């Protein structure tokens, strides 16, 4: 697996890059070097909704508009998240020809979540995998995750909170329409937590956990540009019903 440590200056471009990496891996076929771990950040607070999410159901758009927080849509499922400085994001492109067991989505969730669980637990002690694909510390969520499946690869990406303003989650997101049982009706500010770890500790832990070997030298810049222009910067994509 190769490491891509890359955050783009344009928020829409960051989301487009994840999809472009999945497409590039598909184009490469079953090559063993098609797997990538990308580590990255948004440079400003941003709400990212799931591919099938309805903005009006999940996001306090009035508040976001009032403080100029953009609302963007990713290519994977799941519910909305608020991200920005203080949140490390990761994106994994995994080869399901090399890892055929990951074609079973339950096993894909288990593999990625348990790998991250073990990595963070070595630094903090007990970490739990709860719900469909949440990671928790002290029974509070610090990582939300989602995936998208292609023919020979899958994109699995998510968040790791370490110094994020939790009150911003409460202000930008509505009560989600789907909640895991362990949430027990808690509000965002009572449910979400920052890990008491530094960003570099998390970066190192992720790189070690997924056994990266070298850096990805080239990334699909032109395809990112195309995806931003055709989709990720468009209101009809970001606010579709």
């Amino acid at each position: 697996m190769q490491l891509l440590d890359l955050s783009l200056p344009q928020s829409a471009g960051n989301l487009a890059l994840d999809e472009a990496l999945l497409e590039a891996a598909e184009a490469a076929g079953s090559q063993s070097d098609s797997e990538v771990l990308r580590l990255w950040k948004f440079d400003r607070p941003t709400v990212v909704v799931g591919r099938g999410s309805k903005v009006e159901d999940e996001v306090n758009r009035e508040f976001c508009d009032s403080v100029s927080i953009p609302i963007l849509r990713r290519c994977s499922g799941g519910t909305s998240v608020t991200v920005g400085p203080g949140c490390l994001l990761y994106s994994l492109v995994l080869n399901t020809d090399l890892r055929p067991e990951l074609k079973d989505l339950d096993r894909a969730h288990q593999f990625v979540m348990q790998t991250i669980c073990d990595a963070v637990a070595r630094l903090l002690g007990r970490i739990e995998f709860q719900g469909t694909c949440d990671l928790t510390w002290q029974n509070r969520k610090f990582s939300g995750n989602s995936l998208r499946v292609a023919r020979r690869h899958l994109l699995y990406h998510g968040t790791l909170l370490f110094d994020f303003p939790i009150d911003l989650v409460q202000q930008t997101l509505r009560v989600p329409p789907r909640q895991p049982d362990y949430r027990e009706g808690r509000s965002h500010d009572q449910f979400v937590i920052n890990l008491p770890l530094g960003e570099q500790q998390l970066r190192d832990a992720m790189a070690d956990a997924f056994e990266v070997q070298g850096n990805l030298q080239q990334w699909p810049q032109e395809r990112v540009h195309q995806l931003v222009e055709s989709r990720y910067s468009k209101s009809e994509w970001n606010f579709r019903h």
Side-chain angles (χ1 to χ4, degrees), residues 53-54 57-59 79-80 174-180:
S53 295
K54 294 182 178 180
D57 290 347
E58 299 184 16
V59 182
T79 54
S80 301
R174 301 190 187 282
V175 175
R178 304 182 301 279
Q179 298 186 31

Side-chain angles (χ1 to χ4, degrees), residues 36-223:
V36 177
L37 168 64
R38 178 186 173 212
L39 298 175
W40 57 287
K41 297 183 296 182
F42 281 102
D43 64 2
R44 59 183 293 196
T46 304
V47 171
V48 180
V49 302
R51 186 182 182 95
S53 295
K54 294 182 178 180
V55 171
E56 61 270 23
D57 290 347
E58 299 184 16
V59 182
N60 184 344
R61 187 174 178 182
E62 183 176 335
F63 174 81
C64 292
D65 289 346
S66 73
V67 294
S68 300
I69 292 178
I71 301 169
L72 302 174
R73 188 178 299 274
R74 61 181 181 265
C75 67
S76 61
T79 54
S80 301
V81 296
T82 305
V83 292
C87 173
L88 178 66
L89 293 104
Y90 76 90
S91 307
L92 281 164
V93 177
L94 298 170
N95 188 323
T96 53
D97 281 351
L98 296 177
R99 307 175 191 262
E101 69 279 6
L102 300 189
K103 293 178 181 179
D104 179 325
L105 295 189
D106 287 341
R107 295 186 70 179
H109 287 306
Q110 183 67 38
F111 168 71
V112 178
M113 293 294 89
Q114 196 59 56
T115 301
I116 299 175
C117 254
D118 292 345
V120 177
R122 284 192 283 272
L123 299 171
L124 271 187
R126 187 177 180 186
I127 300 295
E128 293 185 281
F129 164 27
Q130 299 196 68
T132 301
C133 50
D134 292 351
L135 295 179
T136 64
W137 179 59
Q138 299 182 347
N139 201 38
R140 293 174 69 176
K141 177 180 175 179
F142 68 87
S143 178
N145 307 275
S146 60
L147 61 76
R148 180 175 176 183
V149 178
R151 183 165 175 247
R152 290 180 165 175
H153 295 80
L154 63 83
L155 168 67
Y156 205 110
H157 51 189
T159 58
L160 297 165
L161 300 178
F162 64 94
D163 190 26
F164 192 77
I166 301 300
D167 61 325
L168 195 60
V169 182
Q170 181 70 21
Q171 292 170 313
T172 53
L173 300 184
R174 301 190 187 282
V175 175
R178 304 182 301 279
Q179 298 186 31
D181 291 341
Y182 83 94
R183 180 167 181 149
E184 297 179 331
R186 286 177 285 176
S187 61
H188 292 297
D189 58 349
Q190 296 298 313
F191 177 59
V192 178
I193 194 170
N194 283 302
L195 293 176
L197 296 172
E199 180 182 336
Q200 194 59 51
Q201 285 179 290
L202 288 171
R203 287 178 175 272
D204 292 344
M206 290 291 288
D208 289 344
F210 290 101
E211 300 177 348
V212 299
Q213 298 177 348
N215 296 312
L216 186 67
Q217 298 301 317
Q218 295 183 320
W219 54 277
Q221 298 184 49
E222 181 57 32
R223 183 55 178 153

